Amino acid sequence: MEGQKTVNFTRLLSEESVGSTLSSDSYEYYQTEIYDLLPSVQAVRSQQNGYDPQKSSEAYHGGPGPEEAFSSDNQSRGPRPKGSLLPLRNLTMSMQGKKDERERRKMHISNIGFWQSWSRSQSISRRRVWAHLRGAGSSMLPWRHTLLKIQARFGVGVKSYFVFLRYLIYLNLLHCALIGGFILGPTAFYGTNNSVPLRFGGNDSVVDFFLGSGFLDRSPVFFGFYTRGSLDLFCLNTSLLYLAGILSIFFFSLIMVVRRTTVGYKHTWMLEKRTSMNVSFKVFCGWDFNVQDPPAAKLKHSFIRNDLKLFLEEQSFSLRKAQRTLQQKARLYLLRFILNLVVLALLGGAFFLIYISTKKSLSKSPHGWFLNLVLQYLSPITISFVNLVLPHMFRKISSFEDYSLTVQINATLVRSIFLKLASLGIYLFFIFKTSQNADQPSSCRENQIGREMYKLCIYNFLSIFCNTFFVNYPRKLLQEKYPTSLLARLTGKERFLIPFNVLDLVYVQTVSWVGVYYCPLLPLIGMVTLVATFYIKKFNVLRCCVAEQRMFRASSSSVLFHFMLLLGLLMAAATPVLDSYQSQRANAFKISCGPFKNQQTVFSVTDECVKHLPSSAQTTIHYLSSEAFALPLLLAEIIILTSYVSRGRANKKAIERLKDMLVMCSSDKRFLVKQHATLLRGRKNAIRNRPAAVEQRKSLQGDQ
């Protein structure tokens, strides 16, 4: 022990740590000699010497000073904490400790009254029932075993894609429920003003299902079908219900997406910024000894292996990053600047190509049915081509920027989502501009915009289907049957690229949000295509793809997924508002079809409803929409945000204090072990020197 180097457990104390508000009731002050020699006690006393004893003690401990330690110890032995009611399997102690705890609980129950004992047993039973219900609910989640299988073979990142896809299915299911309750239900019950029955006519064809024309143009799929029926009151009519349904979709989508984004960010912040996972924990505590099934054990082995590969990859990059010199950093920053200029040039070229194709697609020229079909899909084909080629180029560019694998994926995601959203925005801009300049005032402009969104959704699904079954699967068969052929070596193995697949989901959901006003049944179409996409991607991953050699952590990327989805939602919510405002400003036309027929804007129906309300209700609504109500609302928001910020700072102080306590506990353990070794060494030396002392004493007696 003496030959070894002394290890000092120290940590710089911040202001948050010194000013912690933790109670000192958790300390136990033992009245022993060695207590005053502990490093933690010495550190506290050294801090107290620089301040007023009473104030510094209360500031550091957040409670009474050392002179009240004995009373605090007595108070700490009072009522049992709430954590003592936890199940024994959740307690971090040995088996003997759990047995002793069980005996103490039995003795405590025998000493309390009948009603208190009954209430405690009932609370335990309720917790067990809720735990079983939560377990049953989690086992009933769709595709749970499929996700576990994918996670074991391909890592957490690929699983996060399928979890994100399942979340979008739930989101579209909510949209379908809102559309059915606000729009489809009242329309089916009260009817419309359309005198022409809905039937498949002689001029309709199968091509109309790809173009959204003909039969679909007259069906409930598009905006023009919904007109005022017998439900035609001032404040309860088809127009208001239609507007309420669309607004409720955006409102609930905003709540769900923001909630998932903030919760994911909080989890990522706590996981990556405040704690660090030790390799020993991964190796020695990563295995679940309840696993008995061999296939389940194989999946668990694969999951632990992928987790360790990810950790080693991150540690290797951190070491390489720390060894960079100043000259290497300067060259790297210059290279990144040049590569970002290349990215901007590629984005500009892509936008110009989309402009040319959109202009050509919206031009009217007589062609055959096949050429007309190709011309109608020219803009979706161009957008898909750009979104297919450029993300791969962004991926190659990010590999030269010398980022970690997770940062490379996130950079590719940010650049690609900007490409997708900007290309969709340019496409919508030219559609709105062309529809406003149309020479056919009798045509339904909203149906035309809805058809374009419908074609984008259908074409994206067809591209996924064709890419899986006509490109990836034949390539996999070629590699299995002729692995040494030249074509098999040139094509290579298929790998599931998470950024590009996630971008497709965000793009499809953004198209669904943009088109829900013009095509109310687009969420239903999107949900069906997403369910089909899940099984297609599952087949593609398990049958056609191989696992990535490099893994990445999916926690930060999951936050980025939902943040990109939030950007798409904001873009979709702003699209109909800007379109209505631009039409009102230009005074070009009134709405020619649908529930808002002959109205200047969509929100004109709300003005009519307000005018027929009682005077008190009108006064209340005008006050709520005025600047006088905005000031107290802003003050209330400031107070709420201040309270949350204060709670966050208090939690930060508590975390700092707990970190210091952990460091001091480690130092105390080291000190006690060293003292124990010193005592044992002294005892051994005394035993070893005892015979020599006895002989010396005998020799002295003999001389006397």
Side-chain angles (χ1 to χ4, degrees):
M1 295 292 293
E2 295 178 352
Q4 296 181 357
K5 185 178 179 180
T6 304
V7 179
N8 295 325
F9 294 87
T10 59
R11 184 175 183 271
L12 296 178
L13 299 179
S14 59
E15 295 180 358
E16 291 82 359
S17 174
V18 176
S20 176
T21 57
L22 288 177
S23 175
S24 62
D25 293 341
S26 59
Y27 286 104
E28 292 186 1
Y29 293 88
Y30 297 97
Q31 303 300 323
T32 57
E33 296 180 358
I34 200 172
Y35 172 76
D36 295 331
L37 302 177
L38 292 177
S40 59
V41 179
Q42 296 293 333
V44 172
R45 289 182 177 177
S46 63
Q47 292 178 0
Q48 291 176 354
N49 292 333
Y51 303 97
D52 183 69
Q54 183 177 359
K55 294 183 179 180
S56 62
S57 177
E58 294 179 358
Y60 188 78
H61 293 289
E67 65 274 4
E68 302 177 8
F70 186 74
S71 62
S72 299
D73 180 59
N74 292 335
Q75 293 176 0
S76 65
R77 301 178 184 272
R80 296 177 61 86
K82 187 177 180 180
S84 63
L85 299 179
L86 292 175
L88 292 176
R89 63 175 177 272
N90 294 340
L91 298 179
T92 56
M93 57 177 61
S94 62
M95 293 300 297
Q96 184 62 37
K98 291 183 179 181
K99 292 179 181 179
D100 297 339
E101 177 65 21
R102 183 175 58 185
E103 295 297 329
R104 283 194 296 268
R105 290 185 181 184
K106 290 181 180 180
M107 294 177 60
H108 183 70
I109 292 175
S110 62
N111 294 330
I112 62 178
F114 172 77
W115 290 108
Q116 188 176 1
S117 175
W118 180 82
S119 63
R120 177 168 297 184
S121 62
Q122 292 299 315
S123 64
I124 294 174
S125 300
R126 284 194 299 270
R127 282 199 302 270
R128 290 178 179 176
V129 170
W130 282 113
H132 287 297
L133 290 178
R134 285 194 296 268
S138 61
S139 63
M140 292 175 62
L141 288 175
W143 309 301
R144 180 173 177 268
H145 298 286
T146 301
L147 295 179
L148 292 176
K149 185 177 181 181
I150 292 173
Q151 176 183 357
R153 289 185 55 182
F154 299 94
V156 185
V158 180
K159 178 195 172 184
S160 65
Y161 165 80
F162 287 92
V163 172
F164 185 63
L165 176 56
R166 184 176 63 180
Y167 170 73
L168 292 183
I169 293 175
Y170 293 157
L171 192 62
N172 282 274
L173 183 62
L174 174 62
H175 296 170
C176 293
L178 295 174
I179 291 293
F182 282 96
I183 300 176
L184 290 180
T187 302
F189 187 78
Y190 292 100
T192 61
N193 294 333
N194 296 328
S195 59
V196 180
L198 181 62
R199 61 182 61 180
F200 196 80
N203 296 328
D204 300 329
S205 62
V206 181
V207 183
D208 294 333
F209 287 95
F210 293 95
L211 298 178
S213 58
F215 174 77
L216 288 182
D217 189 56
R218 305 186 303 270
S219 67
V221 176
F222 293 107
F223 177 87
F225 175 82
Y226 302 94
T227 58
R228 293 198 178 191
S230 58
L231 185 63
D232 196 10
L233 303 176
F234 287 108
C235 291
L236 185 60
N237 50 57
T238 306
S239 304
L240 281 175
L241 290 177
Y242 191 95
L243 181 61
I246 301 300
L247 292 179
S248 62
I249 285 177
F250 289 121
F251 179 72
F252 285 106
S253 299
L254 180 63
I255 291 177
M256 294 182 66
V257 175
V258 169
R259 178 182 176 275
R260 289 291 293 262
T261 305
T262 53
V263 170
Y265 176 75
K266 181 176 66 175
H267 174 73
T268 303
W269 182 79
M270 291 295 295
L271 183 64
E272 296 184 356
K273 301 297 182 182
R274 292 295 177 181
T275 58
S276 59
M277 189 65 67
N278 197 355
V279 183
S280 61
F281 178 81
K282 293 178 180 292
V283 174
F284 297 105
C285 303
W287 179 254
D288 186 4
F289 290 93
N290 293 325
V291 177
Q292 301 293 334
D293 189 26
K298 185 177 180 181
L299 294 178
K300 188 66 176 179
H301 280 146
S302 180
F303 173 72
I304 296 175
R305 181 176 62 253
N306 291 334
D307 195 16
L308 290 175
K309 288 169 61 178
L310 170 61
F311 179 79
L312 294 176
E313 178 70 24
E314 292 177 347
Q315 294 298 318
S316 176
F317 175 79
S318 300
L319 180 62
R320 188 170 66 253
K321 182 179 178 181
Q323 294 176 351
R324 291 175 184 167
T325 62
L326 182 60
Q327 185 178 4
Q328 292 176 347
K329 291 180 180 179
R331 287 201 304 264
L332 182 60
Y333 292 151
L334 179 61
L335 178 62
R336 290 175 181 176
F337 177 74
I338 297 174
L339 292 176
N340 282 304
L341 292 180
V342 174
V343 169
L344 293 177
L346 292 174
L347 290 174
F351 297 155
F352 180 74
L353 187 61
I354 292 172
Y355 161 71
I356 296 298
S357 62
T358 305
K359 186 177 180 180
K360 183 66 176 176
S361 177
L362 296 177
S363 62
K364 302 296 181 181
S365 57
H367 295 289
W369 69 270
F370 181 75
L371 293 178
N372 188 27
L373 179 63
V374 174
L375 186 63
Q376 291 290 327
Y377 274 90
L378 182 60
S379 296
I381 290 173
T382 305
I383 294 175
S384 299
F385 173 76
V386 169
N387 293 332
L388 178 64
V389 175
L390 287 189
H392 288 278
M393 299 180 68
F394 294 157
R395 178 169 171 262
K396 293 296 183 182
I397 289 174
S398 63
S399 63
F400 290 102
E401 293 177 330
D402 198 12
Y403 289 117
S404 65
L405 181 61
T406 303
V407 177
Q408 290 180 22
I409 292 176
N410 292 339
T412 305
L413 280 170
V414 171
R415 292 164 179 170
S416 302
I417 195 58
F418 178 76
L419 169 67
K420 285 182 176 287
L421 294 182
S423 61
L424 181 60
I426 292 174
Y427 183 52
L428 289 172
F429 172 76
F430 286 110
I431 290 176
F432 292 153
K433 186 177 180 181
T434 305
S435 61
Q436 289 180 1
N437 298 331
D439 297 331
Q440 299 177 357
S442 60
S443 62
C444 187
R445 172 176 172 272
E446 285 74 14
N447 277 17
Q448 180 183 355
I449 301 174
R451 284 195 297 269
E452 299 299 329
M453 299 297 102
Y454 174 83
K455 287 189 293 185
L456 286 177
C457 184
I458 295 298
Y459 181 79
N460 187 81
F461 173 73
L462 292 177
S463 63
I464 292 174
F465 180 85
C466 295
N467 184 56
T468 300
F469 292 101
F470 297 115
V471 177
N472 295 335
Y473 186 58
R475 182 170 65 175
K476 183 65 176 179
L477 293 179
L478 177 65
Q479 292 175 357
E480 290 178 352
K481 294 184 178 181
Y482 307 101
T484 59
S485 63
L486 179 62
L487 185 59
R489 292 198 302 268
L490 290 177
T491 55
K493 297 181 180 180
E494 174 68 16
R495 301 185 186 276
F496 192 82
L497 302 178
I498 301 172
F500 310 142
N501 289 278
V502 171
L503 287 174
D504 291 336
L505 294 181
V506 175
Y507 176 72
V508 170
Q509 188 60 42
T510 304
V511 170
S512 177
W513 277 328
V514 171
V516 68
Y517 172 73
Y518 309 98
C519 182
L521 292 187
L522 199 59
L524 178 61
I525 299 172
M527 187 184 68
V528 175
T529 55
L530 286 176
V531 172
T533 301
F534 186 93
Y535 289 101
I536 292 174
K537 290 296 183 180
K538 172 189 173 183
F539 175 81
N540 185 27
V541 168
L542 298 179
R543 183 66 180 87
C544 306
C545 296
V546 295
E548 281 278 3
Q549 297 297 325
R550 301 172 65 190
M551 299 291 175
F552 81 104
R553 193 171 301 280
S555 56
S556 60
S557 298
S558 298
V559 177
L560 189 58
F561 296 165
H562 293 90
F563 180 73
M564 292 186 301
L565 197 63
L566 181 61
L567 292 179
L569 176 60
L570 297 178
M571 174 184 173
T575 299
V577 176
L578 293 177
D579 180 33
S580 178
Y581 174 75
Q582 183 66 26
S583 301
Q584 182 183 8
R585 185 178 179 182
N587 291 324
F589 56 87
K590 293 184 178 181
I591 301 176
S592 60
C593 62
F596 308 101
K597 187 176 182 180
N598 298 325
Q599 299 287 340
Q600 188 67 36
T601 62
V602 175
F603 299 98
S604 299
V605 293
T606 58
D607 297 335
E608 295 179 359
C609 176
V610 172
K611 291 178 181 178
H612 292 83
L613 290 176
S615 59
S616 59
Q618 293 186 26
T619 304
T620 304
I621 292 175
H622 286 303
Y623 173 73
L624 293 177
S625 60
S626 63
E627 294 82 0
F629 180 72
L631 181 59
L633 182 62
L634 184 62
L635 292 177
E637 291 178 354
I638 292 174
I639 293 173
I640 294 174
L641 290 177
T642 304
S643 64
Y644 275 102
V645 169
S646 301
R647 289 177 58 185
R649 291 179 178 176
N651 292 334
K652 183 178 180 180
K653 293 179 181 179
I655 292 174
E656 293 290 334
R657 177 61 182 146
L658 290 174
K659 285 183 177 181
D660 296 333
M661 290 175 62
L662 289 175
V663 172
M664 287 303 176
C665 287
S666 301
S667 181
D668 290 346
K669 291 178 181 179
R670 180 78 178 181
F671 175 77
L672 292 175
V673 169
K674 188 175 181 180
Q675 291 293 327
H676 184 261
T678 303
L679 292 176
L680 290 179
R681 191 182 299 108
R683 185 176 300 176
K684 290 181 181 179
N685 292 334
I687 294 175
R688 189 183 302 112
N689 296 330
R690 185 177 301 172
V694 172
E695 292 179 0
Q696 185 178 4
R697 187 180 301 114
K698 289 181 179 179
S699 62
L700 290 175
Q701 292 177 357
D703 293 338
Q704 292 177 358

